[in-house]
Amino acid sequence: MRVLLSLLLLSIFMSSTVHAEVLCSGKSGGAIHIRTDCKRTEVKLDMVALGLIGPQGPKGDTGLQGLKGETGVQGPKGDIGITGAQGPIGLQGIQGVAGAQGAKGDTGDQGAKGETGATGSQGPLGATGLQGPTGLTGATGLQGPTGLTGATGPQGVGLQSNAYTINSAGNGGYIEISSANGHFSLNYFCNYSGYYGYNWFAYNSSVTSGSVVINGTVSIGNAINNYAWNDLHVNGGGQDDISNHPAPTGGEQANFVAIENGVVTDIRLNVFQDSSRICHISVVSNGTTGYLHQ
């Protein structure tokens, strides 16, 4: 019976705590009522003493912060504040763009002619002007008599002197003059298939474009022509041609210096074709000469 009473009171208590109500009973006992407040003829029951609830426990941990509420309505605009003190004067700005030029004024009256000034001193001599173009080659003059053979000059260091003849009748021929290291050669053509002139031929794999520097001068009569090449290379055939030469009936001189990796080749030729169409070729060189083709 006591257990049933306890369960009944507990049920009443659980429902009453939701609405913050209390348990009331008559002063002489009797029925138990749930009220928001006891009547004057009733007493408030102590639920702790009745064993319905235990003593108050320790304070629990702080719960999680709730969600942020919605932004409130904006308040009315405040009054205009008092005007602040004037700030310091700012730095001067950059100069503006110049305005457009004004219209040209009328020409003034011409002034009186001044007196003639004293003659100045003569200025310095101007620089020599560029040389004019070479004039057209005149007609070949009559062949003069063959002069006496001069005395043989001293032979240069490492140079060899040789003389050759090529019959320019028919298909003519050419002479091959090898370089000092045997890697390339200079060829002179005397009416070889109608061709007078020079070219170079490389036949060693060490000769590549830029490895051989060639400088030369060819003189025909009063005309002197200078040449320079550095593109000779193996398997290139005849290169660096000097062609379209007339027959050397008036004589022709040629000097060439070719350098490959410090090895210097010096070749000097003196060519003359006589009335019998025989080319007389004098060669002074530090290379190998004597390869005659005709």
Side-chain angles (χ1 to χ4, degrees):
M1 183 68 179
R2 186 175 181 179
V3 173
L4 292 175
L5 178 60
S6 297
L7 293 174
L8 177 60
L9 293 175
L10 178 61
S11 175
I12 295 171
F13 168 74
M14 293 296 292
S15 63
S16 67
T17 55
V18 176
H19 304 287
E21 294 177 339
V22 297
L23 297 179
C24 302
S25 178
K27 294 182 179 181
S28 59
I32 298 173
H33 304 279
I34 302 172
R35 304 184 192 282
T36 56
D37 197 9
C38 294
K39 296 179 179 181
R40 297 198 318 188
T41 58
E42 296 175 335
V43 292
K44 181 179 178 182
L45 298 180
D46 187 350
M47 288 184 285
V48 176
L50 293 175
L52 297 179
I53 60 175
Q56 183 176 350
K59 183 178 181 182
D61 296 333
T62 303
L64 299 175
Q65 182 174 344
L67 299 176
K68 182 179 180 181
E70 298 180 358
T71 304
V73 180
Q74 183 173 348
K77 182 176 181 181
D79 297 333
I80 299 174
I82 300 174
T83 303
Q86 181 175 343
I89 298 175
L91 299 175
Q92 181 175 344
I94 60 174
Q95 182 174 346
V97 179
Q101 183 174 346
K104 182 177 180 181
D106 297 334
T107 303
D109 297 333
Q110 181 173 349
K113 183 177 180 181
E115 297 179 359
T116 303
T119 302
S121 58
Q122 182 174 346
L125 182 65
T128 303
L130 298 175
Q131 181 176 340
T134 304
L136 299 175
T137 302
T140 303
L142 298 176
Q143 181 176 332
T146 303
L148 300 176
T149 302
T152 302
Q155 183 168 328
V157 178
L159 297 177
Q160 303 177 36
S161 178
N162 293 280
Y164 305 90
T165 58
I166 296 177
N167 187 349
S168 66
N171 289 328
Y174 68 95
I175 183 171
E176 178 182 353
I177 307 167
S178 179
S179 63
N181 58 11
H183 291 177
F184 53 92
S185 65
L186 169 67
N187 303 313
Y188 173 74
F189 299 89
C190 179
N191 196 34
Y192 185 69
S193 298
Y195 175 81
Y196 287 91
Y198 307 81
N199 72 15
W200 294 82
F201 192 94
Y203 36 77
N204 187 281
S205 59
S206 68
V207 181
T208 59
S209 182
S211 66
V212 179
V213 178
I214 303 172
N215 289 278
T217 301
V218 177
S219 302
I220 303 175
N222 293 326
I224 300 176
N225 298 290
N226 297 312
Y227 302 92
W229 305 282
N230 67 347
D231 58 350
L232 187 64
H233 59 278
V234 72
N235 297 325
Q239 302 168 67
D240 303 329
D241 294 290
I242 304 176
S243 57
N244 299 324
H245 274 213
T249 55
E252 180 176 325
Q253 294 80 39
N255 297 299
F256 295 97
V257 175
I259 303 175
E260 180 191 16
N261 294 327
V263 179
V264 179
T265 298
D266 187 352
I267 302 175
R268 310 169 192 177
L269 294 89
N270 197 320
V271 185
F272 170 71
Q273 179 175 293
D274 62 21
S275 58
S276 299
R277 300 187 64 184
I278 302 297
C279 284
H280 300 270
I281 307 169
S282 174
V283 179
V284 178
S285 172
N286 64 343
T288 304
T289 59
Y291 299 103
L292 192 60
H293 305 270
Q294 64 178 348

